[in-house]
Amino acid sequence: MTAQVQEPEVKSGAAGAKKFPGWDSRKYNYFEPKGRKATHYEDMTVDVQPDPERYLLQDWIISFADGTPTYSKDWTKLKSSDWHKFRAPDQEWERTHYQRQSTIVGMIKNVVDNARKSGAPARFDPRWVKILQDHLGAYKHAEYGLGKATMQAQRYGYTQMINNAILTNSSYKLRFSQDLTLYLSEIGMDLPVFDATAGKTHWMEDPIWQGVREATEAVMGATDYLEQYFATNVVFEPLVAELFRSGFIMQMAAAQNDFATPAVVSAAEADYEQNLANSVELFHLLAQDPEHGEANRQVMEGWLEKHGTLCVKAANQLQPVWSQPRVKVAQFNDALAAASNRLKAICAEIGIEVPAALTATTANDTQPAAEA
Amino acid sequence: MPDGLTLNKIIAQKGISIGEAARRVADLGWTPSYVQEAMTFPTDYKISKAPKDPMKQVLRSYFPMQEEKDNRVYGALDAALRGDMFRNVEPRWVEWMKLFLAIIPFPEISAARSMAMVGRLAPGDDLRTGFTMQMVDEFRHSTIQMNLKKWYMENYIDPAGFDITEAAFGKCYATSIGRQFGEAFVTGDAITAANIYLTVVAETAFTNTLFVAMPSEAARNGDYALPTVFLSVQSDESRHIGNGHSLLMSILNNPDNHQLLERDLKYAFWQNHAIVDAAIGTIIEYGTTNRDKNKESYAELWHRWIFEDYYRTYMLPLEKYGIKIHHDDVHEAFDRIVKKNYVHKVAQFFSAGWWANFWRIEAMTERDFEWFEHKYPGWYDEFGAWWENYAKLSKPGNPPITFVDTGYVYPHRCWSNLVPCLIREDIVVDEVDGEIFTYGHEVDRWTHKVAFQGEYQGRPTPAMGRFSGHREWESMYHGWDLADAIKDMGFVRPDGKTLIAQPHLSFEEKDMWTLDHVRGYEIKSPLITLRGMTPEQRDAHIAEYKKGFKVHKI
Ligand SMILES: [Fe+2]
Ligand SMILES: [Fe+2]
């Protein structure tokens, strides 16, 4: 008899069931983590969009008619000695993005439901209601425009980290434009007089809003994706968006008996903090680039001048809005000064100069005395 | 409390209907008058009719719904670990996930990028919410798949191959086939890429095989994680299909587009077939240990999903708009799967070049043979000897099967879809811009020479893309020693010598091939070789190639 005693074969597919070369190689090992250890975000993101200079042996295999490959460094004027260095400080991947977005959605829903349940909109100052209808109603289109611009821009970045940061930026902007739209529609149902279409009319026709619309369209119309990203977060947000959201809505609302609107609008402030952190990190890297830093700073300063000029004009055209509430608890000049300081602080972090024309922010020094 | 008066009704307040909400959200758009929007995505299509949103959704209901889906996915992954899933998982299956999950996150994120393109080109703002959701969905798919892959790497017995995943994606001859798929979503004519190729064909026709058939097979192999993730991914697809169909209807509206549409449906259907069926067909049929004769074969699944569901209910109805549908291509694709053994030939090829892989392929055994013969009569006669040889040569010390005289002829590669020209009689050789190219089929030749050009049937198509890059993998390593090429690709384990790929599933160190075992064999590019021939030699070579081969037992 040849009773061969076979060793019981390890029949497990689990880690550690057997030791052999490579059995414990349990980390993605093809990129340099930014910190000591790779974060989960880095593992989900880095190198998913390939690069012929890293691992793409066969190069990009489809091109546009003019020979431009699937991804090209030429889609922005900025240059980098290492595009792959950037990591988004907010570390978003799908799970954190949905968690954050749905927390915001839930927060807004609670605020709006409770406000409406307690009959709050009916207690808003009537002049304030008209301001929400006309001006917050107009402003929501700016958010939408920037959402579209960043959605366009996320196609063009040279790495997955850049594109995903721009993608989530777009997701936040488009959500917020819808938050405002639906919020206004809902409080409108509780109010005797409210025209939900008035905002768009003001956006398209009211001289107060034409500067903002022009500045928004300039971002949408830019063909350099990093110009779009820069103009959105470095220029438009502080000079126009925060100016209006923080410097007007958030500060004025309470005095007009409105506790709901600031809660809705505050979501955008928090969104912006993240998007700002991501963009400052990216533009700082590019401004300090050992090879291209100086040229990059010049390009960015050019964008700052182009979009800054439009945004300062837009901001100044908004000035009459500050005079409209019955109870005036905030001054346009203060808001504009804060916006200007914010811009300076952001640019200082990036490491670029703010052109003199943009620091002399106000067109007129005094608030118009006359009110409609 | 009076009948019918519930707490819910007492506190309920007037809300706007979902239709009204979607309408107001769509009204956020306007026509710019100060600065025109950037026109950066080229297309030769003309779209003037604004597409309608069939789904009527807003983002505030989307995010919580997706978060909930995520919670179920991550909960199930935790449960799988608590249930010790990996103790019973079939390594034959998980090995193929090294290939599949190296490929798929890139096409997914490319789909997110392509939403920029359709978002820009679709007139009006009705579909913007749909495109936004799809953009975020595809970001979800890409990163959730990276997460699944990391989870396999952390918990499966052999992590090698998962650990280099995105680097491997850039180097491997098989992943570049998947890259052709992903790049095709975002490059060239924007409508061809982002609407027809991605949505109208890949998502509408082929995601069922990818995201429904694969999970079923995973479950049969003790893998409960992949189904959790991929069925969740698939649940987003109906939205994407809706987006694509809506835009397609706008495109159809202009008869001037019909010629381009016919071209693109032909190209996209054929190439999706060539690429997706090669990859998913092989993984489902050869990555499984389940040989239940009652389950559907890939050919049967294809017939149900692609032929019955897609071709009959989606493609054929387009004829009533005056679009010419290429029925012959659909029938031919099906014939290639049932009669010409396309999937089996791809599996054979993957195993022939096992040393260039970053996953393991084990030999098929008697049990497998019986099932294949049952589902594909005649299978054993054509492939039995191959797999018996493969088993025989699977231990180190043998020459790699590629370099043993088994009768197998190393294939040419298709310049269009990058899968080798495995159905030998279908190979086509042609000249484009003064260079010789090989193609797997006449439609592939047409794709390169006719479709991807600046003019189509006399009509200028300035937006159409071009094939570029080093599309034949072998030419990158022409004249290289196998060991040097493998090292160059980085497909070596951390000890610096043991190959990641192995032609078996043994986890004994003594059974594992090292660089030394594969040194002394030279890689040759079939294309470079063919181009080096005289026209007469070339004709003779191709005539011989078309005759095919018969593998004999060694
Ligand atoms: Fe997807
Ligand atoms: Fe999709």
Side-chain angles (χ1 to χ4, degrees):
Chain A
M1 217 174 100
T2 56
Q4 281 188 349
V5 183
Q6 279 213 322
E7 248 184 82
E9 181 71 23
V10 200
K11 256 298 276 172
S12 169
K18 198 93 192 172
K19 291 185 179 159
F20 50 86
W23 76 275
D24 60 349
S25 180
R26 299 191 184 276
K27 289 196 166 44
Y28 290 157
N29 62 19
Y30 44 87
F31 63 89
E32 198 71 51
K34 185 168 184 235
R36 204 169 50 80
K37 274 167 59 184
T39 63
H40 196 66
Y41 152 79
E42 286 178 301
D43 281 342
M44 300 304 96
T45 313
V46 180
D47 283 324
V48 172
Q49 179 178 314
D51 179 350
E53 287 170 23
R54 285 174 69 77
Y55 306 115
L56 213 50
L57 178 71
Q58 295 172 254
D59 210 337
W60 293 108
I61 51 185
I62 310 184
S63 76
F64 292 89
D66 65 358
T68 304
T70 293
Y71 286 94
S72 165
K73 290 177 184 169
D74 299 339
W75 286 332
T76 177
K77 283 201 196 77
L78 297 181
K79 293 190 176 0
S80 173
S81 51
D82 182 7
W83 281 109
H84 297 268
K85 217 169 158 189
F86 171 72
R87 302 287 188 274
D90 72 357
Q91 303 262 306
E92 284 212 337
W93 62 296
E94 67 99 17
R95 194 166 194 203
T96 55
H97 185 65
Y98 285 111
Q99 284 170 337
R100 192 164 179 283
Q101 286 282 40
S102 72
T103 302
I104 296 167
V105 166
M107 182 277 284
I108 292 176
K109 183 180 182 332
N110 282 338
V111 166
V112 177
D113 282 358
N114 288 326
R116 293 185 64 204
K117 248 177 247 167
S118 65
R123 291 191 297 273
F124 292 178
D125 183 278
R127 282 176 77 169
W128 181 248
V129 167
K130 176 124 172 56
I131 290 166
L132 294 179
Q133 168 193 291
D134 294 349
H135 299 306
L136 189 58
Y139 174 72
K140 69 187 191 296
H141 297 276
E143 292 282 342
Y144 182 71
L146 298 180
K148 281 175 78 167
T150 41
M151 185 162 169
Q152 157 118 356
Q154 59 88 32
R155 162 67 185 86
Y156 290 108
Y158 200 67
T159 73
Q160 185 84 342
M161 290 73 79
I162 295 171
N163 280 329
N164 284 2
I166 304 177
L167 182 154
T168 52
N169 195 153
S170 169
S171 171
Y172 286 121
K173 287 272 134 197
L174 291 167
R175 190 217 73 237
F176 183 61
S177 69
Q178 296 196 2
D179 292 344
L180 290 179
T181 306
L182 299 175
Y183 169 67
L184 291 173
S185 294
E186 281 166 348
I187 60 166
M189 301 180 93
D190 300 343
L191 292 162
V193 189
F194 193 88
D195 177 3
T197 65
K200 189 166 185 182
T201 310
H202 281 266
W203 176 249
M204 295 305 291
E205 294 164 15
D206 186 343
I208 289 178
W209 285 99
Q210 296 320 291
V212 180
R213 184 154 74 84
E214 186 181 1
T216 307
E217 290 180 8
V219 181
M220 295 164 77
T223 52
D224 182 318
Y225 75 96
L226 282 183
E227 178 183 343
Q228 290 186 305
Y229 192 47
F230 180 93
T232 298
N233 290 302
V234 178
V235 192
F236 189 98
E237 285 274 9
L239 287 179
V240 180
E242 262 189 337
L243 172 89
F244 181 72
R245 291 189 311 241
S246 276
F248 181 72
I249 297 286
M250 306 275 286
Q251 289 192 39
M252 291 282 200
Q256 328 299 323
N257 251 340
D258 174 5
F259 298 93
T261 310
V264 174
V265 170
S266 71
E269 298 306 324
D271 294 343
Y272 176 48
E273 288 306 328
Q274 269 190 229
N275 293 322
L276 178 64
N278 290 345
S279 14
V280 164
E281 174 72 17
L282 176 64
F283 293 117
H284 174 78
L285 266 175
L286 294 165
Q288 309 309 319
D289 188 277
E291 285 170 53
H292 308 286
E294 190 172 343
N296 287 343
R297 289 194 295 275
Q298 271 180 30
V299 171
M300 285 188 251
E301 282 159 11
W303 291 340
L304 188 54
E305 189 158 351
K306 170 184 163 188
H307 294 280
T309 306
L310 288 170
C311 286
V312 167
K313 185 174 91 177
N316 280 306
Q317 286 182 7
L318 284 176
Q319 182 170 355
V321 177
W322 269 253
S323 323
Q324 291 184 11
R326 197 175 51 81
V327 188
K328 296 174 188 54
V329 290
Q331 297 286 318
F332 174 76
N333 283 345
D334 296 342
L336 190 61
S340 167
N341 286 334
R342 175 78 146 156
L343 176 75
K344 277 183 245 170
I346 293 167
C347 291
E349 272 192 68
I350 294 172
I352 51 174
E353 301 280 339
V354 182
L358 299 185
T359 47
T361 34
T362 35
N364 354 337
D365 288 318
T366 50
Q367 299 253 45
E371 285 171 33
Chain B
M1 209 188 267
D3 275 356
L5 189 61
T6 62
L7 179 64
N8 201 33
K9 280 190 183 161
I10 296 168
I11 61 166
Q13 43 203 348
K14 271 194 297 178
I16 48 171
S17 71
I18 185 71
E20 183 61 14
R23 200 189 58 72
R24 290 192 184 184
V25 159
D27 198 41
L28 279 164
W30 76 96
T31 308
S33 59
Y34 294 101
V35 184
Q36 292 314 305
E37 259 184 286
M39 204 38 184
T40 46
F41 302 116
T43 184
D44 298 319
Y45 283 88
K46 289 181 193 71
I47 317 165
S48 43
K49 182 176 172 277
K52 288 278 162 256
D53 173 18
M55 311 296 279
K56 303 230 179 301
Q57 288 192 80
V58 290
L59 292 172
R60 72 176 179 189
S61 49
Y62 167 76
F63 289 115
M65 171 179 78
Q66 296 298 92
E67 190 201 18
E68 189 46 44
K69 279 192 201 171
D70 266 6
N71 289 341
R72 287 199 291 270
V73 168
Y74 294 103
L77 291 184
D78 291 344
L81 283 190
R82 284 197 304 274
D84 231 347
M85 178 190 113
F86 282 93
R87 229 177 45 192
N88 300 310
V89 82
E90 291 293 346
R92 180 189 274 186
W93 172 260
V94 182
E95 287 296 325
W96 283 99
M97 295 304 102
K98 292 176 183 175
L99 170 64
F100 176 62
L101 292 174
I103 292 176
I104 194 75
F106 174 70
E108 294 285 11
I109 203 64
S110 303
R113 309 292 172 240
S114 73
M115 290 305 104
M117 300 153 66
V118 284
R120 178 64 197 87
L121 292 170
D125 291 79
D126 239 53
L127 259 187
R128 177 65 63 162
T129 303
F131 292 144
T132 305
M133 289 179 188
Q134 181 168 355
M135 174 181 79
V136 185
D137 283 342
E138 306 293 8
F139 168 64
R140 171 176 195 250
H141 300 173
S142 180
T143 51
I144 208 171
Q145 290 160 4
M146 288 301 289
N147 182 75
L148 175 66
K149 184 162 57 178
K150 183 178 175 183
W151 189 81
Y152 283 125
M153 173 173 68
E154 287 168 345
N155 297 295
Y156 168 65
I157 187 166
D158 186 2
F162 284 127
D163 56 353
I164 58 165
T165 184
E166 295 306 307
F169 176 66
K171 301 283 187 189
C172 170
Y173 72 90
T175 51
S176 43
I177 300 169
R179 196 149 53 79
Q180 170 68 22
F181 186 62
E183 284 189 46
F185 298 172
V186 287
T187 317
D189 187 306
I191 292 297
T192 306
N195 181 245
I196 308 302
Y197 192 101
L198 166 62
T199 306
V200 171
V201 178
E203 290 180 307
T204 309
F206 285 90
T207 51
N208 275 325
T209 63
L210 272 163
F211 299 151
V212 184
M214 286 260 305
S216 307
E217 212 50 55
R220 293 187 185 109
N221 287 279
D223 176 1
Y224 301 98
L226 185 113
T228 306
V229 173
F230 278 82
L231 293 174
S232 190
V233 164
Q234 178 68 4
S235 71
D236 297 332
E237 288 307 322
S238 57
R239 259 201 306 278
H240 308 174
I241 293 167
N243 286 342
H245 188 259
S246 182
L247 184 53
L248 176 64
M249 289 299 118
S250 293
I251 291 166
L252 274 170
N253 192 254
N254 185 345
D256 191 52
N257 293 327
H258 290 193
Q259 191 183 17
L260 298 178
L261 201 53
E262 282 169 29
R263 177 197 68 185
D264 290 345
L265 279 171
K266 182 180 172 75
Y267 143 63
F269 181 84
W270 188 260
Q271 192 168 91
N272 268 266
H273 143 64
I275 291 176
V276 178
D277 292 335
I280 307 307
T282 301
I283 293 172
I284 285 177
E285 304 285 55
Y286 286 80
T288 187
T289 56
N290 180 285
R291 294 308 178 190
D292 175 1
K293 287 181 183 156
N294 294 317
K295 77 173 184 187
E296 286 175 302
S297 67
Y298 189 74
E300 290 166 307
L301 291 168
W302 202 97
H303 194 265
R304 183 152 62 91
W305 277 324
I306 311 291
F307 198 86
E308 295 293 342
D309 282 7
Y310 180 71
Y311 169 60
R312 285 198 193 285
T313 67
Y314 187 97
M315 257 181 137
L316 279 183
L318 296 178
E319 284 193 321
K320 69 171 186 276
Y321 299 96
I323 299 296
K324 182 177 177 323
I325 297 297
H326 293 269
H327 309 278
D328 44 340
D329 291 351
V330 180
H331 289 275
E332 172 70 2
F334 185 55
D335 274 357
R336 287 182 8 132
I337 290 166
V338 283
K339 296 192 189 136
K340 295 184 175 177
N341 286 330
Y342 183 59
V343 169
H344 305 299
K345 287 173 169 160
V346 173
Q348 183 180 35
F349 174 73
F350 280 146
S351 63
W354 68 262
W355 39 267
N357 298 343
F358 56 97
W359 67 100
R360 296 162 175 249
I361 301 175
E362 71 165 342
M364 295 294 112
T365 65
E366 284 297 333
R367 268 184 74 243
D368 303 308
F369 294 174
E370 208 186 306
W371 187 87
F372 281 123
E373 191 60 33
H374 175 76
K375 289 291 187 183
Y376 300 92
W379 182 92
Y380 183 80
D381 184 50
E382 192 172 347
F383 301 100
W386 170 263
W387 287 106
E388 284 161 1
N389 292 342
Y390 186 85
K392 223 173 183 174
L393 296 168
S394 67
K395 292 289 152 71
N398 288 299
I401 190 166
T402 335
F403 299 89
V404 176
D405 177 18
T406 60
Y408 188 75
V409 178
Y410 193 87
H412 283 281
R413 214 167 260 275
C414 176
W415 193 258
S416 284
N417 61 51
L418 309 190
V419 180
C421 312
L422 297 170
I423 297 170
R424 310 281 161 146
E425 63 271 31
D426 287 352
I427 192 174
V428 183
V429 179
D430 201 355
E431 215 170 285
V432 178
D433 303 326
E435 286 252 58
I436 298 276
F437 296 96
T438 48
Y439 306 95
H441 187 273
E442 163 57 24
V443 181
D444 297 303
R445 185 201 66 83
W446 170 90
T447 299
H448 180 213
K449 188 160 182 167
V450 180
F452 273 71
Q453 296 297 333
E455 193 185 295
Y456 179 67
Q457 297 178 345
R459 162 198 191 133
T461 50
M464 195 60 179
R466 297 292 187 280
F467 290 159
S468 64
H470 310 288
R471 296 175 69 88
E472 194 210 28
W473 177 86
E474 290 82 355
S475 63
M476 303 308 294
Y477 291 119
H478 184 63
W480 283 53
D481 190 282
L482 232 55
D484 295 334
I486 294 169
K487 226 173 133 179
D488 185 70
M489 290 191 290
F491 294 180
V492 182
R493 289 166 189 261
D495 67 357
K497 61 175 196 222
T498 308
L499 307 190
I500 289 177
Q502 298 290 328
H504 56 68
L505 288 175
S506 167
F507 299 109
E508 299 290 340
E509 187 169 355
K510 67 173 168 48
D511 293 337
M512 292 172 73
W513 296 55
T514 66
L515 287 170
D516 290 338
H517 295 120
V518 293
R519 201 175 300 284
Y521 303 97
E522 189 186 316
I523 297 173
K524 282 205 182 77
S525 149
L527 186 61
I528 293 175
T529 309
L530 188 74
R531 285 176 176 171
M533 292 176 186
T534 65
E536 297 72 35
Q537 287 170 325
R538 206 150 46 223
D539 290 347
H541 169 83
I542 293 298
E544 191 58 31
Y545 188 86
K546 283 186 170 177
K547 283 188 208 151
F549 57 83
K550 174 90 184 159
V551 170
H552 53 80
K553 271 198 202 180
I554 52 167

